[in-house]
Amino acid sequence: MATITAVVFKEGGKTYYFAPKENEEYKVGEGVIVETSRGIEYATVTVARAEVDDGMLVLPLKPVIRAATPRDDETHRRNIERRPEAMKTVREKIEKHNLEMKLIDCEFAFDGSKAVFYYSAPQRVDFRELVKELSSCFRMRIELRQVGIRDEIKLIGGISPCGRECCCSSCMPDVKKVSIKMAKTQGLSLNPQKISGLCGRLMCCLGYENDYYAETCKQMPKIGSELSTPEGVGTVVNVNMLKMQVRVRIEDKTRDIVSYKDFTVEELNGDGRADNYEEADEDNGIKDVISEKIREEAVQDGAENRKNGNRNKRKKKNRNGGNTPRAAQSGAGSENKHGERPPKNAGNGQNKPQNGGGNFRSGKNGKRKDERPRKKEEPANKN
């Protein structure tokens, strides 16, 4: 276990842990001076002193230098008051250089050694001349950092569609990953205008209750599936995962009546009749396995057909005289009508045609003659 002091550098920002001094006491809401990778910074205490497991920390922790003095508070306040005038100057310089970038926010280092300006742009911007002019204007080191659309809303803030301040700029230090699957699991409308925040991305609050909906969704039947109810077999048309209720469409064909009834999951499971959706999921799993097997067999059949097609192409090529060059090199002459190459020694008069047909050179004088299939002669009786 390690002793820590938690601080934030701006309101609604991310919480950082530092190692407190043993002989100093801090109060929540008061300022402290800490050492960071950027240098000496002013921060506000959120947790005065606490014990945290070493596995949750990145050791070693940087120390808290001291509690902020009234002079430190005045310096921090003066740096904040300089921001509006500095941003106005930078916007004028951006328009002067005709750069396609949007200035979002700025902050000054506590010791006055540098100023950091945050901007957004659709593409990379060449701001080298701008930095030179700003350095001569502010007489300090200048840094320009490009941020994304989510970070832009986090820095600016605003009122979200729910009527409250944006979560990313008020109560959520880290921007978490949100997917469209969360909206589907919660049964929300997939209209982008209804599930998007000021940044145009999916609302961060979709992840707040996602764990509950993901667990509850496993206990609810699928919409459109059929299941047995105490009043008969029906089709699921809607589910309410907050009340754990299922609305079922029950059709009585004998009386030509259609009714809609709401049942709780306990009522359906209590009768032992509402397990059909579990069986349906199992059937769907079996169908998926069968479909995958059929797909694999189709791939294998396609590979076999391609293999056979290549073999047939080679045979056809041989019939059309594909081996003529090899036959010519062996001195065997032209091929026979079956597309087969004559023996290598066909030109020395010792071998006879094996397939009973075709023209080739034979004999000592090398004359061309036609050989026709003839009946095999029986050997004479030696006796």
Side-chain angles (χ1 to χ4, degrees), residues 222-343:
K222 303 291 183 181
I223 296 179
S225 62
E226 293 186 356
L227 53 79
S228 298
T229 67
E231 299 187 11
V233 179
T235 304
V236 179
V237 295
N238 190 21
V239 293
N240 190 333
M241 286 184 279
L242 294 177
K243 295 182 179 180
M244 297 296 290
Q245 290 182 348
V246 180
R247 176 163 294 184
V248 184
R249 179 179 182 273
I250 302 175
E251 182 177 358
D252 189 353
K253 296 183 179 180
T254 58
R255 295 184 298 175
D256 196 15
I257 297 176
V258 177
S259 60
Y260 293 86
K261 300 289 184 180
D262 291 337
F263 300 94
T264 62
V265 177
E266 290 78 7
E267 291 177 353
L268 298 176
N269 291 334
D271 293 341
R273 301 176 183 176
D275 297 334
N276 291 349
Y277 59 87
E278 297 180 358
E279 296 177 1
D281 292 342
E282 184 177 357
D283 293 341
N284 293 333
I286 295 174
K287 292 179 180 178
D288 293 340
V289 173
I290 295 174
S291 300
E292 185 65 24
K293 188 174 181 181
I294 294 173
R295 193 179 298 109
E296 291 178 358
E297 292 178 355
V299 171
Q300 294 177 359
D301 293 342
E304 186 67 22
N305 293 335
R306 288 193 297 271
K307 185 176 180 181
N308 295 334
N310 294 335
R311 187 183 297 115
N312 294 334
K313 288 181 179 179
R314 288 196 297 269
K315 289 182 178 180
K316 185 176 180 180
K317 184 177 180 181
N318 293 336
R319 292 195 205 99
N320 295 333
N323 291 332
T324 302
R326 294 180 59 185
Q329 291 177 5
S330 63
S334 61
E335 297 176 348
N336 56 30
K337 64 180 180 180
H338 296 285
E340 297 180 357
R341 189 173 68 253

Side-chain angles (χ1 to χ4, degrees), residues 120-292:
S120 63
Q123 56 189 1
R124 188 172 180 178
V125 180
D126 185 6
F127 47 74
R128 288 176 292 184
E129 296 298 329
L130 176 64
V131 171
K132 292 179 181 179
E133 191 168 346
L134 292 178
S135 299
S136 61
C137 179
F138 291 100
R139 297 188 179 277
M140 63 177 61
R141 181 183 173 186
I142 302 297
E143 289 186 9
L144 293 176
R145 297 182 182 177
Q146 184 174 359
V147 297
I149 183 65
R150 284 182 178 271
D151 295 323
E152 178 181 351
I153 298 300
K154 182 176 180 180
L155 292 172
I156 297 176
I159 304 300
S160 58
C162 64
R164 299 175 60 90
E165 188 178 357
C166 293
C167 298
C168 58
S169 61
S170 60
C171 61
M172 191 176 66
D174 298 326
V175 178
K176 299 181 180 179
K177 183 178 180 181
V178 185
S179 63
I180 194 66
K181 183 179 179 181
M182 295 180 179
K184 293 180 180 179
T185 302
Q186 299 176 27
L188 300 176
S189 172
L190 299 183
N191 186 351
Q193 296 181 354
K194 294 184 178 180
I195 58 177
S196 299
L198 297 180
C199 59
R201 305 292 190 272
L202 294 175
M203 292 189 294
C204 300
C205 57
L206 291 177
Y208 291 166
E209 300 176 354
N210 183 64
D211 294 339
Y212 168 79
Y213 282 100
E215 188 65 27
T216 306
C217 187
K218 299 178 182 178
Q219 307 175 17
M220 307 296 288
K222 303 291 183 181
I223 296 179
S225 62
E226 293 186 356
L227 53 79
S228 298
T229 67
E231 299 187 11
V233 179
T235 304
V236 179
V237 295
N238 190 21
V239 293
N240 190 333
M241 286 184 279
L242 294 177
K243 295 182 179 180
M244 297 296 290
Q245 290 182 348
V246 180
R247 176 163 294 184
V248 184
R249 179 179 182 273
I250 302 175
E251 182 177 358
D252 189 353
K253 296 183 179 180
T254 58
R255 295 184 298 175
D256 196 15
I257 297 176
V258 177
S259 60
Y260 293 86
K261 300 289 184 180
D262 291 337
F263 300 94
T264 62
V265 177
E266 290 78 7
E267 291 177 353
L268 298 176
N269 291 334
D271 293 341
R273 301 176 183 176
D275 297 334
N276 291 349
Y277 59 87
E278 297 180 358
E279 296 177 1
D281 292 342
E282 184 177 357
D283 293 341
N284 293 333
I286 295 174
K287 292 179 180 178
D288 293 340
V289 173
I290 295 174
S291 300
E292 185 65 24

